[in-house]
Coordinates of all heavy atoms in Angstrom, one line a residue:
V43 N 114.5 142.4 143.1 CA 113.1 141.8 143.2 C 113.1 141.2 144.6 O 114.1 140.7 145.2 CB 112.9 140.7 142.2 CG1 113.9 139.5 142.3 CG2 111.5 140.1 142.2
Y48 N 109.0 136.4 152.2 CA 110.4 136.3 152.8 C 110.6 137.3 153.8 O 110.1 138.5 153.7 CB 111.4 136.4 151.7 CG 111.4 135.2 150.8 CD1 110.5 135.1 149.7 CD2 112.1 134.0 151.1 CE1 110.5 134.0 148.9 CE2 112.1 132.9 150.3 CZ 111.3 132.9 149.2 OH 111.2 131.7 148.4
I67 N 117.5 129.0 140.9 CA 117.4 128.1 142.0 C 118.0 128.8 143.2 O 119.1 129.2 143.1 CB 118.1 126.8 141.6 CG1 117.4 126.1 140.4 CG2 118.1 125.8 142.8 CD1 118.0 126.4 139.1
D73 N 115.7 124.4 152.6 CA 114.9 124.2 151.4 C 115.6 124.7 150.2 O 116.4 125.6 150.3 CB 113.5 124.9 151.5 CG 112.8 124.6 152.8 OD1 112.8 123.4 153.2 OD2 112.1 125.5 153.4
S86 N 114.3 141.2 137.1 CA 113.0 142.0 137.2 C 111.8 141.2 136.7 O 110.7 141.6 137.0 CB 113.1 143.3 136.5 OG 113.2 143.2 135.1
M98 N 115.0 119.6 152.0 CA 116.2 118.7 151.8 C 116.5 117.7 152.9 O 117.5 117.0 152.8 CB 117.4 119.6 151.5 CG 117.3 120.4 150.2 SD 117.2 119.3 148.8 CE 118.8 118.5 148.8
S107 N 115.6 118.8 160.9 CA 115.6 119.9 160.0 C 116.5 121.0 160.4 O 117.1 121.6 159.5 CB 114.2 120.5 159.9 OG 113.2 119.6 159.4
I115 N 124.5 127.8 147.2 CA 124.2 126.7 146.3 C 125.0 127.0 145.0 O 125.0 128.1 144.5 CB 122.7 126.4 146.0 CG1 122.6 125.3 145.0 CG2 122.1 127.7 145.4 CD1 121.1 124.8 144.8
S119 N 129.1 122.5 135.8 CA 128.8 123.1 134.5 C 127.6 122.6 133.7 O 127.0 123.2 132.9 CB 130.1 123.0 133.6 OG 130.5 121.6 133.4
R130 N 124.9 125.7 159.6 CA 124.8 125.1 160.9 C 126.1 124.4 161.4 O 126.3 124.1 162.6 CB 123.7 124.0 160.9 CG 122.3 124.6 160.7 CD 121.9 125.4 161.9 NE 120.4 125.7 161.8 CZ 119.9 126.9 162.2 NH1 120.7 127.8 162.6 NH2 118.6 127.1 162.1
S149 N 119.1 113.9 138.8 CA 118.9 113.0 137.7 C 118.6 113.7 136.4 O 118.9 113.3 135.3 CB 117.8 112.0 138.0 OG 116.6 112.6 138.3
Y152 N 119.6 120.7 136.7 CA 119.0 121.9 137.3 C 117.6 121.7 137.8 O 116.9 122.6 138.1 CB 119.0 123.1 136.3 CG 120.4 123.5 135.9 CD1 120.9 123.2 134.6 CD2 121.2 124.2 136.7 CE1 122.1 123.6 134.2 CE2 122.5 124.6 136.3 CZ 122.9 124.3 135.0 OH 124.2 124.7 134.6
D155 N 113.1 119.0 141.2 CA 112.0 118.0 141.3 C 112.4 116.6 140.8 O 111.7 115.6 141.0 CB 110.8 118.4 140.5 CG 109.9 119.4 141.3 OD1 110.1 119.5 142.5 OD2 109.0 120.0 140.7
R172 N 142.6 125.7 164.7 CA 143.5 125.8 163.6 C 144.5 126.9 163.9 O 145.0 127.7 163.0 CB 142.8 126.0 162.3 CG 142.1 124.9 161.7 CD 141.8 125.0 160.2 NE 140.9 124.0 159.7 CZ 141.3 122.8 159.4 NH1 142.6 122.5 159.5 NH2 140.5 121.9 158.9
T175 N 142.2 131.6 168.6 CA 141.6 131.4 169.9 C 140.1 131.8 170.0 O 139.4 131.1 170.7 CB 142.4 132.3 170.9 OG1 142.3 133.7 170.5 CG2 143.8 131.8 171.0
G183 N 130.8 129.7 152.0 CA 131.8 129.0 151.3 C 131.3 128.8 149.9 O 130.2 129.0 149.5
V195 N 134.8 130.7 154.4 CA 135.1 131.9 155.2 C 134.5 131.8 156.6 O 133.3 131.5 156.7 CB 134.5 133.1 154.4 CG1 134.9 134.4 155.2 CG2 135.1 133.2 153.0
E197 N 134.1 133.7 160.4 CA 134.1 135.0 161.1 C 134.6 134.8 162.5 O 134.5 133.7 163.1 CB 132.8 135.7 161.1 CG 131.7 134.9 161.8 CD 130.3 135.6 161.8 OE1 130.3 136.8 161.5 OE2 129.3 134.9 161.9
G198 N 135.0 135.9 163.1 CA 135.3 135.9 164.6 C 136.5 135.0 165.0 O 136.4 134.2 165.9
V199 N 137.6 135.1 164.2 CA 138.7 134.2 164.6 C 139.8 135.1 165.2 O 139.8 136.3 165.2 CB 139.3 133.5 163.4 CG1 138.2 132.6 162.8 CG2 139.8 134.5 162.3
T221 N 136.3 112.2 152.8 CA 137.6 112.4 153.5 C 138.8 111.9 152.6 O 139.9 112.4 152.8 CB 137.6 111.6 154.8 OG1 137.2 110.2 154.5 CG2 136.5 112.2 155.8
F226 N 143.0 119.7 153.3 CA 143.2 121.1 153.8 C 144.5 121.7 153.2 O 145.5 121.0 153.3 CB 143.2 121.1 155.3 CG 143.5 122.5 155.9 CD1 142.6 123.5 155.8 CD2 144.7 122.7 156.6 CE1 142.8 124.8 156.3 CE2 144.9 124.0 157.2 CZ 144.0 125.0 157.0
G237 N 131.3 144.2 158.2 CA 130.9 143.2 159.1 C 129.6 142.5 158.7 O 129.2 141.5 159.3

Side-chain angles (χ1 to χ4, degrees):
V43 64
Y48 290 88
I67 297 92
D73 306 324
S86 67
M98 293 299 293
S107 297
I115 180 171
S119 58
R130 293 295 191 217
S149 60
Y152 299 106
D155 274 350
R172 290 198 187 277
T175 56
V195 181
E197 64 182 338
V199 299
T221 55
F226 177 65

